[in-house]
Amino acid sequence: MLISFEGIDGSGKSTQIDKVKTYLTDKGYDVHVFREPGGTPLSEQIRDILLKSRDEIHPLAESLLFSAARAQLVATRIRPLLDAGAIVILDRFFDSTTAYQGYGRKAIPVKDIEQLNTLSTQNLKPDLTIYLKLDPLQASKRRKKVRVEDRMERAGVEFFKRVSEGFDQLALREERMVALDSSKSPDVTFRSIIEHLEKKLPLL
């Protein structure tokens, strides 16, 4: 089973992923968590370029770098684990590329981004996508409380508003995608996630 978590930076994905991993592991499932971009040595190197580079990265180059990291992760980690019957949880997947590079950057048509997503994932789609929805201003305040913002996070509130609108559009048309209000307490959000997750879990 493949589960992805989506949402703008600061929406609480890491907190909920930790909770869900613990919940599933306690139930006896074999659970693996990966972040995007990242999850393999090569993908982590690409992550450093994308998030730490001081050079200007063209939107097309940015999209291709995200896709390269994803292609490596899917081929060498995700597919083998799914074939072995494990549950894989992803902190971001191709929906983020559609929302950030397609809707946020506005430099590449969304349909072209989606074709790139299909190629980089070998047409792999999550069984369930949890979209943690949070107002961009609130998300920005959360981020600044806990860390120094990376290159993507410094893109500005207007950028994140477009990204949020992109996620909203995806949630309306993708049945696998569940939008949840993450402005509530972590425990309330977690209970909502589990309600949806329990309907999809494979039998042990």
Side-chain angles (χ1 to χ4, degrees):
M1 181 180 185
L2 180 60
I3 306 164
S4 62
F5 279 75
E6 299 287 1
I8 61 175
D9 300 86
S11 60
K13 293 187 282 54
S14 297
T15 297
Q16 295 304 329
I17 287 171
D18 287 343
K19 285 176 170 290
V20 170
K21 181 183 180 183
T22 299
Y23 176 84
L24 292 175
T25 300
D26 289 347
K27 279 182 166 288
Y29 291 97
D30 179 22
V31 185
H32 300 262
V33 175
F34 300 103
R35 66 179 181 178
E36 276 218 359
T40 75
L42 176 62
S43 302
E44 290 292 336
Q45 291 176 53
I46 295 173
R47 180 185 182 88
D48 283 342
I49 294 172
L50 283 164
L51 301 187
K52 298 179 182 178
S53 177
R54 295 184 180 276
D55 294 329
E56 182 178 348
I57 302 177
H58 187 275
L60 178 57
E62 184 178 79
S63 300
L64 291 170
L65 284 168
F66 274 110
S67 296
R70 179 171 302 127
Q72 183 74 1
L73 178 61
V74 168
T76 65
R77 297 287 191 274
I78 297 175
R79 280 201 177 275
L81 285 168
L82 293 177
D83 290 343
I87 291 180
V88 176
I89 301 175
L90 297 178
D91 185 345
R92 300 197 179 286
F93 201 34
F94 61 79
D95 292 311
S96 278
T97 298
T98 304
Y100 277 74
Q101 280 68 53
Y103 288 90
R105 296 296 190 206
K106 296 197 302 182
I108 305 169
V110 170
K111 63 179 180 59
D112 292 342
I113 293 287
E114 291 177 336
Q115 289 180 343
L116 186 58
N117 291 341
T118 298
L119 180 62
S120 65
T121 63
Q122 304 170 46
N123 207 30
L124 179 66
K125 294 184 178 181
D127 299 288
L128 176 66
T129 297
I130 301 296
Y131 163 37
L132 298 179
K133 185 175 171 60
L134 187 66
D135 176 76
L137 283 174
Q138 188 174 350
S140 177
K141 290 177 182 178
R142 281 187 183 180
R143 292 195 305 270
K144 290 177 180 178
K145 283 182 179 179
V146 297
R147 63 179 182 270
V148 176
E149 293 184 313
D150 61 36
R151 190 185 70 86
M152 294 296 295
E153 293 170 339
R154 292 193 298 270
V157 173
E158 291 304 314
F159 170 78
F160 279 103
K161 285 181 180 179
R162 295 194 298 271
V163 173
S164 293
E165 290 168 2
F167 277 127
D168 290 344
Q169 290 297 316
L170 290 170
L172 287 173
R173 66 180 171 90
E174 296 289 343
E175 290 185 6
R176 61 177 167 80
M177 205 165 184
V178 176
L180 299 175
D181 179 4
S182 67
S183 67
K184 300 177 181 178
S185 74
D187 287 341
V188 169
T189 302
F190 175 66
R191 287 196 293 271
S192 296
I193 292 171
I194 295 305
E195 287 179 10
H196 292 281
L197 181 58
E198 285 287 355
K199 301 172 186 177
K200 298 275 188 176
L201 283 176
L203 296 176
L204 287 173

